[in-house]
Amino acid sequence: MLTQTQFRLPDILAGWPWPRVINPYHDEVKAECEKWFRSFNALGPKSQDTFDRCDFCLLASLSCPQLDRQSLRTACEDLIVSFLFDEFTDRCHSGQTRVYAEIAMDALHNPHKTRPAGESILGEIFRQFWERGIRTMSTIVQERFIKEYKGYTDAVIIEGIDRDTFSIRSIEEYLKLRRYTVGIWPCFIALQFGMKGLPDEVMFHPKVVNLSELIVDAVLLDNDLLSYNREQATGEGFHNIVTVVMAELKVDLDGALAWLEKRRAQIAADVIAEWDTLPEWDEDVREDAKMYLQGVVGWVRSSYTWHFESQRYFGKHGREIQDYRMVTLLPKTRDRAPRANGPDTLEDLKE
């Protein structure tokens, strides 16, 4: 029997009505944020180069095209620190993951407190990001962001427990967890950076909640699809819907991709139907609500295009793969067991 060497990406954005848009402050804010992050010397030269090519500021600028300059900087730094947290926790045991999560959350709760001597550099990076960000952020937006970030870090700890035991969840149990480990809920709050904060009657309106949940599902499925090749090669595929579907439904890769394509098509149809029935908001919140909800649905295109425009998943071949949608399976480099004493996700990652 021939071993599969390539697969074709489903055209999951066919007919998606929201276009690619980028924040006009992208270039100057990216330069500032990258200079700030390099000042910590958190990564060795090779790892820093790898991190830079991921271009997390591009993702922030694509997903938050409406933010003012200072708010965009906060959004860019949010994604930088979040992906750094992801790298720190991605392959360590759940106990160490919990330590990193506690450091991150303590820094968010105490942005004016000096970090303890000997602590991971992660704490100071989080502290500086948040201390600067809250200077122009309303109290309600701060509170919402911290709440959603706690949900994200708690979910990452649970993911670490799954990694400890090499567990592959059922499809529905996986989706329940992945809706938080994907980290989109805090990013939705970032769309309100620079706003006074939308009232609860908008944020928690059933239509808005349902629309937001649909977008989260779309983004997580897209991310899992587009990251699958790298993750299967590096032994990280247990926390990926493609692996989960293959395991539960006893199908091959093509069968899992067919399942994903069908589910994504239904989500897209549901999003468009929900969008067309959103309520009219009171005049005093109408513009902010419109801007926020455009940002929520905009995350789908932003995330999708970033996967190809950065070099995180497809290296220098992203644009070509985006056009032709053919992916060559990478050889498995190693099946990694989690390490107890911290990150090994980048070859020379430093504490």
Side-chain angles (χ1 to χ4, degrees):
M1 182 176 180
L2 293 176
T3 302
Q4 183 169 358
T5 59
Q6 287 187 312
F7 65 95
R8 186 173 184 84
L9 295 171
D11 190 7
I12 50 181
L13 257 60
W16 187 252
W18 289 277
R20 178 192 184 279
V21 186
I22 192 166
N23 192 293
Y25 297 109
H26 167 67
D27 290 340
E28 57 193 277
V29 171
K30 174 184 174 178
E32 287 180 1
C33 291
E34 291 184 346
K35 181 180 179 180
W36 166 75
F37 178 64
R38 288 193 196 100
S39 72
F40 294 102
N41 195 30
L43 307 175
K46 199 171 180 181
S47 295
Q48 184 66 61
D49 179 66
T50 301
F51 200 81
D52 289 345
R53 285 187 281 110
C54 295
D55 206 348
F56 301 118
C57 291
L58 174 62
L59 178 57
S61 294
L62 288 169
S63 60
C64 301
Q66 82 290 357
L67 292 185
D68 60 52
R69 192 182 189 285
Q70 184 55 49
S71 297
L72 178 63
R73 173 158 184 176
T74 305
C76 286
E77 291 182 1
D78 168 28
L79 288 181
I80 288 173
V81 301
S82 295
F83 277 97
L84 185 67
F85 175 79
D86 182 66
E87 294 292 354
F88 269 67
T89 60
D90 227 11
R91 295 178 203 117
C92 59
H93 281 291
S94 57
Q96 185 61 40
T97 299
R98 186 181 299 276
V99 170
Y100 289 135
E102 290 172 351
I103 288 171
M105 293 309 304
D106 185 72
L108 294 180
H109 282 290
N110 300 284
H112 305 296
K113 184 180 77 173
T114 301
R115 303 309 303 168
E119 181 184 73
S120 166
I121 191 63
L122 197 67
E124 180 60 14
I125 296 173
F126 265 86
R127 188 199 71 78
Q128 287 193 23
F129 142 66
W130 196 236
E131 190 276 332
R132 177 168 38 249
I134 61 176
R135 296 175 195 172
T136 56
M137 195 181 303
S138 70
T139 300
I140 186 62
V141 174
Q142 293 177 43
E143 291 172 350
R144 286 172 176 166
F145 182 87
I146 289 176
K147 177 184 176 183
E148 296 298 349
Y149 215 88
K150 180 67 162 58
Y152 163 62
T153 59
D154 285 351
V156 171
I157 294 169
I158 297 171
E159 179 188 352
I161 295 171
D162 285 356
R163 184 165 50 244
D164 290 349
T165 56
F166 300 96
S167 299
I168 297 178
R169 292 172 171 248
S170 69
I171 293 171
E172 291 310 315
E173 286 301 312
Y174 170 76
L175 290 173
K176 287 179 183 178
L177 179 61
R178 186 69 173 121
R179 287 172 180 132
Y180 293 93
T181 62
V182 73
I184 297 300
W185 291 107
C187 295
F188 286 169
I189 305 303
L191 295 166
Q192 296 180 56
F193 290 170
M195 292 185 189
K196 63 181 180 181
L198 291 170
D200 287 352
E201 52 264 34
V202 175
M203 288 295 294
F204 302 111
H205 189 284
K207 288 282 185 180
V208 172
V209 171
N210 191 48
L211 179 69
S212 302
E213 289 174 346
L214 288 167
I215 296 300
V216 168
D217 277 9
V219 171
L220 78 84
L221 290 176
D222 295 357
N223 176 259
D224 281 12
L225 168 67
L226 300 176
S227 65
Y228 171 74
N229 193 28
R230 191 183 78 158
E231 291 176 356
Q232 64 82 26
T234 57
E236 303 165 49
F238 81 99
H239 196 67
N240 187 296
I241 191 62
V242 178
T243 302
V244 170
V245 170
M246 286 193 288
E248 179 173 330
L249 301 185
K250 305 294 190 294
V251 294
D252 61 8
L253 177 56
D254 287 337
L257 296 177
W259 179 96
L260 188 151
E261 183 175 21
K262 182 178 180 181
R263 184 134 180 171
R264 270 295 277 111
Q266 184 59 59
I267 291 171
D270 291 345
V271 167
I272 292 170
E274 201 68 76
W275 181 264
D276 289 341
T277 58
L278 287 172
E280 285 289 326
W281 309 106
D282 291 342
E283 187 175 353
D284 59 333
V285 299
R286 188 172 299 154
E287 285 306 309
D288 281 354
K290 178 182 177 181
M291 190 179 301
Y292 172 73
L293 292 168
Q294 286 279 7
V296 169
V297 295
W299 249 99
V300 175
R301 177 82 64 181
S302 302
S303 174
Y304 181 85
T305 55
W306 168 76
H307 280 77
F308 298 104
E309 293 179 22
S310 75
Q311 296 183 34
R312 181 170 173 83
Y313 299 101
F314 301 111
K316 296 179 180 179
H317 304 291
R319 299 298 185 105
E320 178 185 350
I321 292 172
Q322 184 177 15
D323 287 341
Y324 295 101
R325 305 204 314 276
M326 290 302 300
V327 179
T328 299
L329 282 167
L330 295 169
K332 292 186 183 295
T333 55
R334 49 183 164 171
D335 289 320
R336 299 192 212 182
R339 292 178 57 182
N341 297 320
D344 69 341
T345 54
L346 297 173
E347 67 285 332
D348 55 350
L349 190 63
K350 298 189 295 185
E351 281 288 324

